[in-house]
């Protein structure tokens, strides 16, 4: 229970003094709470106890991936959850027991399968122009049907979600934009060869080599590349273009509320 339901909503609409109605205010989804009930039957009493031990050892200090799949669903959906109420067990026999466990998802969205894509760098600098005399056939450096510096991310769901990015250097002052919404992230520094940036858009966290915060050198416009329903292209540019520089994007098939 709680998985197919909408997440709880927090709406704080204050009533108007000596007037009808109230002052409008936006509502927000609260954490999703899911209760899992089931029965376990094993071949021996020792095997049943082993399963009970596994359930009771789920730590509330760790996020666990909760995956739901059933007949008729096009793909499994998942959410990262914490144990908010430890397992309760009722023995029905030496090899069989009924259990209940409560899980809470800080992020109330349900996500489809993870997707991954990469793109080389498209430079914002001016071109070198044509060199004469021309040598045929001309090579424009881009394969037919491709766009340098662009990754198409999907969202077949009902809610926007945040992707996760990685930029591998060498690259100077990279800029990542979501053209559908106008969201823009600008990194005002140089990522040297052999270095990389981990960008968690949901937490608005930017780490150099996975450890040093560079958030103070980031300027942004919009909602940190929140992928809208229907999907959108993510484009990146920079002051310099090196063949070794790569943008990696982890996204989802979709997100559902």
């Amino acid at each position: 229970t709680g998985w197919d339901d909408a997440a709880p909503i927090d709406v704080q609409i204050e009533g108007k003094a000596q007037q009808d109605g109230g002052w409008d205010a936006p509502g927000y989804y609260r954490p999703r709470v899911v209760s899992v009930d089931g029965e376990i039957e094993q071949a021996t009493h020792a095997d049943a106890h082993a399963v009970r031990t596994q359930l009771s050892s789920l730590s509330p200090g760790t996020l666990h991936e909760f995956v739901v799949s059933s007949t008729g669903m096009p793909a499994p959906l998942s959410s990262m959850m914490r144990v908010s109420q430890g397992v309760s067990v009722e023995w029905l026999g030496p090899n069989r027991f009924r259990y209940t466990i409560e899980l809470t998802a800080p992020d109330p969205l349900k996500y489809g399968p993870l997707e991954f894509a990469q793109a080389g760098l498209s430079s914002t600098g001016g071109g070198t122009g044509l060199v004469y005399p021309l040598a045929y056939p001309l090579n424009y450096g881009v394969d037919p049907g491709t766009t340098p510096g662009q990754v198409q991310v999907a969202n077949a769901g009902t809610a926007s979600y945040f992707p996760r990015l990685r930029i591998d250097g060498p690259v100077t002052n990279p800029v990542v934009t979501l053209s559908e919404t106008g969201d823009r992230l600008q990194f005002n520094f140089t990522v040297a060869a052999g270095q990389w940036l981990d960008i968690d858009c949901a937490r608005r966290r930017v780490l150099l080599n996975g450890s040093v915060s560079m958030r103070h050198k980031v300027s942004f416009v919009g909602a940190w590349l929140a992928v809208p329903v229907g999907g959108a292209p993510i484009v990146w540019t920079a002051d310099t273009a090196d063949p070794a520089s790569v943008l990696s994007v982890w996204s989802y098939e979709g997100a559902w509320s």
Side-chain angles (χ1 to χ4, degrees):
T1 58
W3 179 257
D4 288 329
D5 302 333
I9 295 177
D10 184 7
V11 179
Q12 297 182 0
I13 298 179
E14 298 292 336
K16 295 181 179 179
Q18 300 180 353
Q19 298 181 60
D20 295 332
W23 300 107
D24 190 22
Y28 299 95
Y29 284 114
R30 308 308 301 168
R32 180 182 298 276
V33 179
V34 175
S35 179
V36 182
D37 307 300
E39 291 186 8
I40 299 293
E41 184 173 6
Q42 296 292 299
T44 67
H45 184 59
D47 291 340
H49 262 295
V51 176
R52 182 203 61 78
T53 301
Q54 287 181 324
L55 288 172
S56 63
S57 65
L58 291 173
S59 171
T62 303
L63 281 170
H64 306 276
E65 186 179 24
F66 183 77
V67 183
V68 176
S69 179
S70 64
T71 303
M73 290 178 60
L77 298 180
S78 65
S79 179
M80 300 303 293
M81 298 190 173
R82 294 187 187 273
V83 176
S84 50
Q85 182 174 318
V87 65
S88 175
V89 173
E90 177 188 359
W91 286 96
L92 305 176
N95 306 340
R96 181 166 167 250
F97 65 87
R98 181 183 294 119
Y99 72 93
T100 300
I101 190 169
E102 184 183 270
L103 309 171
T104 299
D107 179 355
L109 294 181
K110 297 175 282 190
Y111 294 94
L114 189 67
E115 297 183 344
F116 174 75
Q118 290 183 317
L121 187 60
S122 177
S123 175
T124 59
T128 58
L130 293 176
V131 178
Y132 290 89
L134 298 178
Y136 293 90
L138 296 177
N139 180 5
Y140 293 96
V142 179
D143 295 330
T146 65
T147 302
Q150 177 172 304
V151 172
Q152 183 69 34
V153 291
N155 187 358
T158 61
S160 298
Y161 70 86
F162 293 99
R164 189 156 187 161
L165 314 177
R166 170 169 165 151
I167 295 177
D168 285 88
V171 59
T172 301
N173 300 330
V175 178
V176 184
T177 59
L178 194 67
S179 56
E180 291 289 329
T181 62
D183 286 8
R184 172 189 174 97
L185 294 180
Q186 181 167 335
F187 306 90
N188 303 302
F189 54 92
T190 296
V191 183
Q195 294 183 333
W196 70 91
L197 287 178
D198 282 327
I199 304 137
D200 188 334
C201 293
R203 294 179 175 87
R204 301 192 175 190
R205 184 177 65 191
V206 179
L207 300 179
L208 180 65
N209 298 340
S211 59
V212 180
S213 175
M214 303 297 289
R215 177 65 179 82
H216 59 290
K217 293 188 176 182
V218 179
S219 57
F220 70 93
V221 175
W224 276 67
L225 310 181
V227 180
V229 174
I234 291 179
V235 180
W236 79 306
T237 58
D239 291 350
T240 58
D242 190 290
S245 56
V246 176
L247 171 70
S248 302
V249 179
W250 288 266
S251 59
Y252 297 96
E253 183 181 281
W256 285 261
S257 56

